[in-house]
Amino acid sequence: VVNVASRLEEMSRPLAGTIVASGTCVEAAGAAAWATRFERSDEIQLRGRAGRMVVHVAGCGRPAPDR
């Protein structure tokens, strides 16, 4: 978990966001509606991880889309 958090922090600049949360983290928050509070979602490859993961990005300077 700590490794993933560190890798996501590294990705905040390339993804042009101030907050990058994994899809798993957003799901654990308890509701799919949380994903709509982010400006966009991407599927990325993290260094040291076997598969790609969904991340949600906020703080891009664009308003969150209506969903």
Side-chain angles (χ1 to χ4, degrees):
V1 174
V2 172
N3 240 4
V4 171
S6 176
R7 301 291 192 260
L8 289 174
E9 182 181 15
E10 290 173 2
M11 293 301 297
S12 64
R13 182 166 286 180
L15 291 171
T18 55
I19 299 171
V20 178
S22 70
T24 304
C25 179
V26 172
E27 288 173 18
W34 274 99
T36 64
R37 297 177 184 230
F38 291 87
E39 293 159 20
R40 72 174 200 273
S41 298
D42 291 313
E43 190 173 292
I44 64 168
Q45 177 68 47
L46 284 182
R47 180 171 51 93
R49 301 286 291 188
R52 297 176 66 78
M53 70 184 322
V54 173
V55 294
H56 303 284
V57 184
C60 306
R62 297 187 304 252
D66 291 332
R67 294 185 192 182

